[in-house]
Amino acid sequence: MINAQLTLLLEIQDLKAKLKELRAGSDLGALERETFGIDLDEAASQLETRVEELEGQLSEPIRRRYERIAGHLDRVVVPVIAGTCYGCFVSIPTATAGEEDPNASLQTCEHCGRFLYILR
Ligand SMILES: [Zn+2]
C-alpha cells in the first residue's frame, strides 16, 4: 500500500517531467505536430492545470516541503535503493529498517530533504 500523498507526489513529478518535454518539443517533431494537429500550448496548459489540481490535494506541511524542494531541485521524489538515497547518494539504512511496507508512510531524506520512494 503506497501512501496517498506519496502517490500524489509521484504523479505531480511525472506530469511535470512530461510538461518539460512538451515545452522542449523533444518528443514530437514538426511533421507529427502538423499531421496530427496537436497544439502543444494547449496540451501544456492542460498539464499545468492538472499539476495545480494535484498540488492542491497535498496536505499543508507536505506542500510546504514540496514547494521548498521543487524551487531548486529537479526531482522531489527519489528512489532509495539498497538503503541509499538516489537524490544525494547518502546511505540511509533507517529508511527501510523494520517496516513491513516502507512506502505506507511518507518518508524524507534527512540529508537532501527529498521525498523517498523505497525499493528493496
Ligand atoms: Zn537524499
Side-chain angles (χ1 to χ4, degrees):
M1 198 32 201
I2 294 180
N3 181 277
Q5 295 280 301
L6 178 59
T7 305
L8 272 176
L9 288 165
L10 286 167
E11 286 174 356
I12 291 169
Q13 177 162 282
D14 190 51
L15 291 181
K16 280 188 152 181
K18 189 67 230 173
L19 189 56
K20 212 173 164 186
E21 281 173 29
L22 269 185
R23 290 212 176 107
S26 60
D27 59 348
L28 278 181
L31 180 64
E32 285 87 347
R33 254 176 270 174
E34 213 165 287
T35 308
F36 302 110
I38 295 164
D39 184 340
L40 289 186
D41 291 335
E42 174 61 25
S45 83
Q46 291 269 12
L47 276 176
E48 269 172 0
T49 306
R50 293 294 298 157
V51 167
E52 280 165 22
E53 277 172 22
L54 293 172
E55 285 172 350
Q57 291 173 42
L58 293 171
S59 75
E60 197 51 42
I62 290 168
R63 186 160 68 238
R64 272 201 299 273
R65 178 182 277 265
Y66 160 82
E67 281 167 357
R68 213 163 47 232
I69 304 169
H72 68 283
L73 297 170
D74 215 30
R75 289 185 157 268
V76 292
V77 186
V78 291
V80 172
I81 300 168
T84 297
C85 169
Y86 272 61
C88 64
F89 293 95
V90 162
S91 174
I92 38 170
T94 49
T96 55
E99 275 189 76
E100 189 126 312
D101 184 353
N103 293 308
S105 59
L106 187 59
Q107 301 197 57
T108 55
C109 175
E110 283 177 22
H111 187 72
C112 67
R114 290 177 177 91
F115 297 102
L116 301 174
Y117 183 75
I118 292 146
L119 301 171
R120 293 199 272 203

